């Protein structure tokens, strides 16, 4: 008797299994939207697919009369710039600190409590402080993303390095390796796949911090646009923007996953 836990769908099966729930959700939305518009043709809560397509096409092709910019493109570029810089700062910081804390027990005992303290502080609560200290410009938004995900990534990477087999470090020391060589030649190569994995898991919170920062103080960006048009119940713009953010997040995750598999194939076994 074939047990459910032993059924492994092939590539086509996985694609179909993934599409079916999305198709069902879309069908439910279409039915609900049609019912609401039958009762009230001016309903704004659940716009039709046609209304959303018209709204997003207008934002993607028509220049804004005030700025002369294509709204969707300008919002996307602004948000991706903030997200990219913030994530890059957090990744470099986490890699360096995670490596040091994982390899050197003395540094782990010294800096570990500070990293833990920062990690438990809700980043959104720090946002007013960042606005006061760094102003309302790009720096405060980028800092929120970096501060929001760097401590989590640092703790994750430090725990991974400290959990590496101690025999590896002992053998390297018997061959004459110093502390620097232990970190660079032994720990770092094994840490790189874990860094990409930690970054993939941190992208969700990074998007949350980006949208929160743009919603409070910004004049351009995906989060800014969503919170701007909500005043007019413009769900025909909000829903496509949310879908666009989701597609960007999925694309980033696929790129990181592919990069990890190509660069470090030894770190990817036959996952269930």
């Amino acid at each position: 008797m074939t047990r459910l836990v032993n059924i492994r769908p092939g590539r086509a099966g996985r694609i179909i299994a993934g599409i079916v729930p999305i198709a069902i959700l879309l069908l439910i939305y279409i039915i609900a939207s049609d019912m609401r518009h039958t009762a009230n043709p001016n309903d704004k809560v659940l716009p039709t697919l046609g209304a959303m397509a018209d709204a997003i096409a207008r934002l993607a092709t028509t220049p804004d009369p005030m700025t002369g910019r294509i709204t969707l493109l300008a919002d996307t570029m602004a948000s991706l710039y903030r997200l990219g810089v913030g994530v890059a700062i957090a990744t470099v910081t986490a890699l360096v600190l995670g490596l040091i804390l994982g390899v050197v027990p003395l540094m782990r005992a010294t800096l570990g409590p500070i990293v833990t303290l920062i990690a438990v502080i809700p980043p959104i609560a720090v946002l007013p402080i960042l606005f006061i200290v760094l102003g309302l410009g790009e720096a405060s938004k980028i800092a929120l993303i970096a501060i929001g995900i760097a401590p989590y990534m640092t703790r994750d990477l430090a725990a991974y390095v400290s959990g590496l087999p101690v025999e590896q470090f002992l053998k390297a020391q018997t061959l004459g390796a110093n502390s620097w060589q232990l970190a660079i030649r032994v720990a770092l190569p094994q840490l790189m796949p874990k860094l990409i994995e930690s970054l993939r898991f941190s992208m969700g919170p990074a998007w949350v911090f980006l949208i929160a920062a743009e919603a409070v103080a910004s004049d351009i960006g995906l989060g800014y646009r969503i919170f701007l048009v909500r005043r007019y119940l413009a769900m025909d713009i909000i829903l496509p923007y949310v879908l666009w953010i989701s597609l960007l997040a999925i694309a980033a995750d696929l790129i990181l996953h592919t990069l990890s598999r190509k660069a470090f194939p030894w770190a990817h076994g036959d996952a269930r």
Side-chain angles (χ1 to χ4, degrees), residues 117-196:
L117 176 63
I118 298 175
V120 298
I121 298 175
I124 300 298
V126 181
L127 187 56
I129 300 175
L130 295 176
F131 283 147
I132 294 173
V133 175
L134 301 176
L136 302 179
E138 299 297 321
S140 56
K141 302 176 184 63
I142 293 172
L144 177 65
I145 297 171
I147 294 174
I149 65 175
Y152 162 77
M153 294 179 64
T154 299
R155 296 178 67 187
D156 190 30
L157 298 181
Y160 179 80
V161 173
S162 62
L164 292 175
V166 67
E167 291 80 6
Q168 296 182 6
F169 295 92
L170 292 176
K171 184 176 290 184
Q173 291 181 71
T174 59
L175 296 174
N178 56 32
S179 299
W180 171 258
Q181 291 171 325
L182 287 174
I184 300 301
R185 303 289 295 274
V186 178
L188 183 59
Q190 301 180 76
L191 183 62
M192 294 308 294
K194 182 64 177 179
L195 174 67
I196 296 178

Side-chain angles (χ1 to χ4, degrees), residues 29 33 37 43-49 51-52 235-237 239:
Y29 179 88
S33 176
H37 282 81
D43 179 73
K44 290 187 174 181
V45 177
L46 296 180
T48 63
L49 297 183
M52 288 191 287
M235 293 292 284
D236 57 337
I237 296 177
L239 291 178

